[in-house]
Amino acid sequence: MKRWALFLAAALLTLAVAAGSAGAETRVFRIVPETSQTALPSAEVPNAPGAVALPPSMLFRRESQGLPFSTLSGLWSQAGAAYGIPWEVLAAINKVESNFGRNMGPSSAGAIGWMQFMPSTWERWGTDATGDGLADPWNAEDAIYSAARYLAAAGGRDDLYRGVYAYNHAHWYVKDVLDLARTYGSGSEIAHSLDRVQVGVEQARNKVAATNRKLVAAVRRQRSLARQAAVAQARVGEANLLSARLALDKSAYEADTRHFAAARQVKALRKRLSEAEKALSTAQANAFSSSFAPGAASLVSAPIYNGDYVFPVGGGAEHVSVGHDHHDYPAADIAAPAGAPLYALAVGVVDRAWHMPAGNCGIGFTLRTGDGRSWTYCHLSYLEPSVQPGALLAAGSPVGLVGSTGHSTGPHLHIQLQPATSYPQAEAWFQGFAGRGFTWQDAPTPTLSTAPVFTVVEDEPVAADVITFTLRS
C-alpha cells in the first residue's frame, strides 16, 4: 500500500473514533506525498577527491536526442531555486555552451556534456542530482544542477557577473550570457521561440550550403562529360572506315546520353537551390526582428557593426577565431563553422564574382570599398546570387556562407587586400571586433569593458572632461 493511502486510512479511522465519542477533539491529518531522500551537495564546499562516482565513459562523446523544452525549463527553475541562481542565467549558459544539448562536445578544449564542464572542474563540482549514484555531465539534470552549484560557489548568488565570469573568463562571454538571460526573463516561451528561430536559420543555411555543394559537383561532371561528348563526335567525323564510324557513333551516342543526364541533374539541383534560397530568405526575415533582443543577435549570427565596418563572419567570439599571421603572405584566415554567414565588411561595389570554384580561392568575390581598396573573399561554400559584378552592397549585406572550396584545409573565410600589401587583422577596424566578432587564436583576447575609465590628474584648471572627486580617509 502506498504511503499516502496509509495516511488516509489512519485519518479516516481517527475521525470515526472521534465521531463516536461525545465531546472528543476532532483531529485533522494532512496527506504528505513521498519525497526523495537525496540531499543536494553544498555550494560552499567542493567534492572531496573520489567523493562522487563518475561514469566510466565520462570523457567520450555521447549522442543526445535532446529534451522537450518543458523538461529543460523545469530543470533550470528547480536547479536555480536550489542554489539561488536565476533560471534565466542557467538557460542562457545552456544555450551558449551546448545549444540546449545539440553540441555537447568534447570541445576543442576538452569541455564535455550539457553545460560544457572541464573534467577537472566536474570532479570538484559535479552533482548527482538524479540520485542514481553517478554524477554524469552528459545527463541534463546532473549537469544543470552542477552548473547552478558552481555559479553559486563562485559568488553568483550575490554577483551574477562574477559567477558567470568564473564559468568562462571572458567579458564578451559574460555579456552574451547576461544579455540573453535578460531576454529570457520575459518568460520561458521567449527562450523557446528564439531557439526555434535560430534552428530555422541554421537549417536553412545548411540546406543552401549542402545543395550548392552538390550543384558544384554536378556542374563539374556536366562540363567534363560535355568535353568527352565533343571529343567523341570529332572522332566520328575523322573516321574513314564505315565499321570504325559505326563503333565511334555508338561511343558518341553513349557520351551524349551521359552528358544529357548530367545536364538534367544540374537543372534539378538549380531548382532545389532556388527553393532552398527562398526558404533561407524567409528564415532570415523571421530572425531579423528577433535579432534586436539583447543577446539574440549572436544566436542568429547577425552582423556586428563598429562604425562604418562590419565583421565579415557572423557567429560571434564564441565560434569565430583568427590568428595574427597568415602562413605565407599578408591575409587573414578566419575560422568559423561551415555554413556560418558572411557579410560585406563595408559599403562597396563588387568588382568580380565567381559562383563556381576557381583555382585556389574556390568560390569568392572581390569588393571595392569607398576608400578605393579591394577586398577578396575566398573558400565560400555558397555565394549569394545578388553578388554580381557592379552590384552595390551595403555594410552588413549577406554575401554567402563559410566553406572550404578551393585550396582549403577546413571551413574558414580567407580575406585579403588586393594587392596583398598588409594584414587585414593589423587594421584598427578589424582589431576593434576582438572579443565581439572573434577571438584571437594565438594570443589572449583583450577584455572589453563598458565601465568608465578614470585617470588621476595633477592639480590644474578643470577641463570640461574632468570629473573631480573628494577623498575621505
Side-chain angles (χ1 to χ4, degrees):
M1 184 181 291
K2 295 285 187 182
R3 188 180 300 174
W4 63 267
L6 292 174
F7 278 126
L8 180 60
L12 294 174
L13 177 61
T14 303
L15 289 173
V17 172
S21 303
E25 180 183 357
T26 301
R27 302 182 66 188
V28 178
F29 292 82
R30 180 169 59 90
I31 299 174
V32 181
E34 294 185 76
T35 57
S36 171
Q37 302 302 311
T38 302
L40 292 171
S42 167
E44 279 66 43
V45 181
N47 304 328
V52 294
L54 305 175
S57 58
M58 187 179 83
L59 300 180
F60 297 96
R61 180 182 181 87
R62 286 191 233 160
E63 297 299 329
S64 170
Q65 299 301 319
L67 288 174
F69 204 83
S70 58
T71 301
L72 284 176
S73 182
L75 291 177
W76 299 326
S77 297
Q78 294 157 16
Y83 285 105
I85 301 296
W87 73 264
E88 300 95 322
V89 174
L90 293 173
I93 291 176
N94 196 176
K95 180 64 180 178
V96 171
E97 291 291 346
S98 74
N99 200 13
F100 295 153
R102 299 186 187 98
N103 305 313
M104 295 200 292
S107 71
S108 58
I112 53 177
W114 275 84
M115 302 298 275
Q116 289 292 279
F117 274 87
M118 295 299 292
S120 58
T121 307
W122 183 263
E123 289 176 5
R124 288 171 57 79
W125 299 104
T127 302
D128 175 19
T130 61
D132 65 356
L134 292 176
D136 186 358
W138 303 87
N139 177 278
E141 188 169 352
D142 286 358
I144 292 170
Y145 271 84
S146 299
R149 180 187 177 196
Y150 183 75
L151 290 168
R157 288 170 176 151
D158 303 314
D159 186 343
L160 282 174
Y161 185 99
R162 176 183 172 187
V164 177
Y165 188 83
Y167 213 97
N168 187 327
H169 300 328
H171 172 78
W172 59 262
Y173 176 87
V174 179
K175 184 179 184 303
D176 281 356
V177 166
L178 295 184
D179 281 351
L180 192 56
R182 279 191 286 273
T183 296
Y184 286 173
S186 302
S188 61
E189 66 277 2
I190 298 297
H192 185 235
S193 175
L194 287 176
D195 183 58
R196 293 297 91 200
V197 168
Q198 181 200 10
V199 169
V201 172
E202 288 180 349
Q203 289 178 341
R205 286 173 180 153
N206 291 336
K207 182 71 172 179
V208 166
T211 305
N212 197 58
R213 189 162 52 245
K214 292 178 180 178
L215 176 60
V216 167
V219 168
R220 282 178 171 171
R221 175 172 170 76
Q222 180 195 8
R223 290 174 178 174
S224 175
L225 291 174
R227 289 192 295 269
Q228 293 177 25
V231 170
Q233 288 291 351
R235 287 177 178 172
V236 171
E238 295 171 356
N240 295 320
L241 297 177
L242 178 61
S243 57
R245 180 183 290 271
L246 292 175
L248 290 171
D249 268 335
K250 180 181 178 182
S251 296
Y253 173 79
E254 292 172 347
D256 281 338
T257 300
R258 290 192 295 269
H259 173 231
F260 291 144
R264 286 195 299 271
Q265 185 182 20
V266 167
K267 183 178 180 180
L269 284 169
R270 290 193 189 281
K271 181 179 179 181
R272 286 170 54 186
L273 179 60
S274 177
E275 293 169 350
E277 289 169 340
K278 291 177 182 176
L280 176 57
S281 179
T282 300
Q284 289 173 332
N286 292 337
F288 180 74
S289 58
S290 300
S291 67
F292 291 98
S298 62
L299 295 184
V300 295
S301 301
I304 301 173
Y305 292 83
N306 183 12
D308 295 331
Y309 287 92
V310 168
F311 196 68
V313 183
E318 178 76 6
H319 304 289
V320 182
S321 64
V322 65
H324 283 84
D325 296 311
H326 186 258
H327 53 86
D328 55 359
Y329 60 91
D333 282 346
I334 306 174
L342 299 173
Y343 301 105
L345 60 88
V347 175
V349 175
V350 178
D351 275 340
R352 297 185 301 135
W354 45 102
H355 294 72
M356 288 289 147
N360 291 340
C361 186
I363 296 173
F365 71 102
T366 297
L367 179 71
R368 179 166 39 85
T369 52
D371 56 7
R373 297 189 297 174
S374 293
W375 299 87
T376 294
Y377 290 51
C378 290
H379 306 317
L380 282 65
S381 63
Y382 166 78
L383 184 62
E384 290 277 353
S386 58
V387 181
Q388 298 287 346
L392 175 63
L393 302 181
S397 296
V399 295
L401 303 174
V402 168
S404 57
T405 55
H407 184 63
S408 172
T409 57
H412 69 280
L413 171 67
H414 173 99
I415 189 168
Q416 67 180 71
L417 281 163
Q418 294 286 21
T421 54
S422 62
Y423 281 91
Q425 55 271 53
E427 304 226 347
W429 70 265
F430 195 109
Q431 295 183 0
F433 288 104
R436 293 176 59 217
F438 71 94
T439 53
W440 290 111
Q441 297 168 351
D442 50 2
T445 300
T447 298
L448 300 177
S449 175
T450 56
V453 177
F454 297 93
T455 301
V456 177
V457 298
E458 301 298 330
D459 291 337
E460 57 185 35
V462 177
D465 59 350
V466 173
I467 301 175
T468 58
F469 292 87
T470 300
L471 299 178
R472 294 182 179 179
S473 58

